[in-house]
Amino acid sequence: MRIWAALAYEGTRYRGFQRLAPSHEPTIQGVLEATLQHLAGAPIQVWGAGRTDAGVHAFGQVIAFDISWRHSLEDLQRALNALLPFDMVVWALGEAPPDFHPRREAQSRIYRYLIYNGPQRDPFGRTLAWHVPSPLDVAAMRQAAALWVGRHDFGAFGRPPSGQNTVREVRRATVAVDGEWVAFEIEADAFLYRMVRIMVAVLVTIGRGERPPEAAAAYLRRPDAYPAHAPAPPYGLYFVGAHYERISVPPPPKFLPDRLRGFQDL
């Protein structure tokens, strides 16, 4: 049977989602496939909804795989979580149509980026958020993010994982603040490589007052003009989840510490 599963992971120890070959560095896909092979006694391929980079986290990565399993789905979930490492958990699981593919069938994907905007660094959040000590104008960042909503050529913000098409439809782009924590959340039909991290770098320059909010739209008119910023660090980025027609994935549990938890309700 084909199974879909919703997975959360803390990505600090991993070289990203996609299996690397040849490489001894751990990846999310590699760990999942090794765990499933241990359970099934045969090699199993895992497909994912989003190919997160090294150090990127996930609340709701959706995966799919084929397995011969004679027990209940609840037993399969328990067995997976008993074998998976401490920084990874399957929090929902179900049977999928036999041809379901989590990447090709995703109608939209959601990412969130967390910034810690306190004057001093937070030693407990160093792998969970980007520390930006200078004050940020969140209203200007919101104004800039809203300019990205719609169908545009986002070539200035990244490169496509395959082919040449850099046109994407952003359905929602919001900036929220809770004390010293700032969250940028974006939903789109698909994303370019490093697109969200480059967007965050642009938003931070706008929040610092180095550029006006209108600069966010200028890059849409010049997709060949790469923003003069290094991408924001990977450890502030979270893959929140994906939407589908043929499977129903519940909202993720409240994984984060209390100080970050409110952002899961954006």
Side-chain angles (χ1 to χ4, degrees):
M1 71 178 79
R2 180 154 298 185
I3 299 296
W4 69 265
L7 178 76
Y9 50 84
E10 204 271 283
T12 304
R13 297 193 307 131
Y14 302 95
R15 287 291 299 166
F17 179 85
Q18 194 165 5
R19 181 195 330 106
L20 301 174
S23 175
H24 298 293
E25 296 180 280
T27 66
I28 303 298
Q29 184 183 26
V31 168
L32 289 167
E33 290 179 346
T35 302
L36 286 164
Q37 180 171 346
H38 180 81
L39 284 176
I44 291 180
Q45 183 176 1
V46 168
W47 302 280
R51 297 170 180 170
T52 53
D53 293 339
V56 174
H57 318 297
F59 297 138
Q61 174 73 265
V62 179
I63 63 170
F65 55 90
D66 294 330
I67 189 171
S68 296
W69 185 255
R70 294 179 295 176
H71 308 288
S72 70
L73 294 181
E74 290 78 9
D75 287 338
L76 176 58
Q77 184 176 354
R78 280 193 292 268
L80 279 170
N81 285 332
L83 294 174
L84 287 172
F86 66 92
D87 46 9
M88 197 180 302
V89 66
V90 172
W91 53 263
L93 181 149
E95 188 171 356
D99 59 344
F100 171 75
H101 194 289
R103 180 176 57 83
R104 291 197 295 263
E105 293 194 33
Q107 296 177 309
S108 68
R109 297 170 180 83
I110 305 168
Y111 281 90
R112 181 175 307 150
Y113 197 96
L114 293 181
I115 297 170
Y116 178 61
N117 194 215
Q120 306 297 331
R121 65 181 178 272
D122 178 357
F124 302 103
R126 66 190 185 281
T127 62
L128 299 176
W130 180 20
H131 178 219
V132 177
S134 54
L136 294 175
D137 184 343
V138 174
M141 295 169 70
R142 284 196 187 107
Q143 184 180 345
L147 298 174
W148 290 328
V149 175
R151 190 166 186 82
H152 306 288
D153 189 338
F154 289 95
F157 295 93
R159 66 178 189 268
S162 61
Q164 301 296 321
N165 182 22
T166 54
V167 175
R168 299 291 187 269
E169 182 182 356
V170 171
R171 300 175 183 177
R172 181 167 54 90
T174 59
V175 179
V177 61
D178 184 2
E180 294 175 321
W181 295 90
V182 179
F184 169 59
E185 185 163 296
I186 183 169
E187 179 178 0
D189 58 351
F191 289 87
L192 304 175
Y193 180 58
R194 292 189 173 179
M195 176 174 163
V196 179
R197 290 168 57 195
I198 294 174
M199 284 178 158
V200 171
V202 171
L203 288 177
V204 167
T205 64
I206 291 170
R208 287 171 172 160
E210 298 169 12
R211 297 188 181 192
E214 295 77 20
Y219 294 120
L220 303 179
R221 297 189 293 271
R222 290 281 310 280
D224 59 329
Y226 183 83
H229 308 285
Y235 47 79
L237 184 59
Y238 296 75
F239 181 56
V240 175
H243 292 141
Y244 298 94
E245 277 191 354
R246 297 202 293 167
I247 65 170
S248 179
V249 182
K254 304 294 188 180
F255 289 114
L256 289 175
D258 287 341
R259 59 189 173 179
L260 302 182
R261 208 169 262 172
F263 289 131
Q264 290 195 225
D265 298 322
L266 279 175

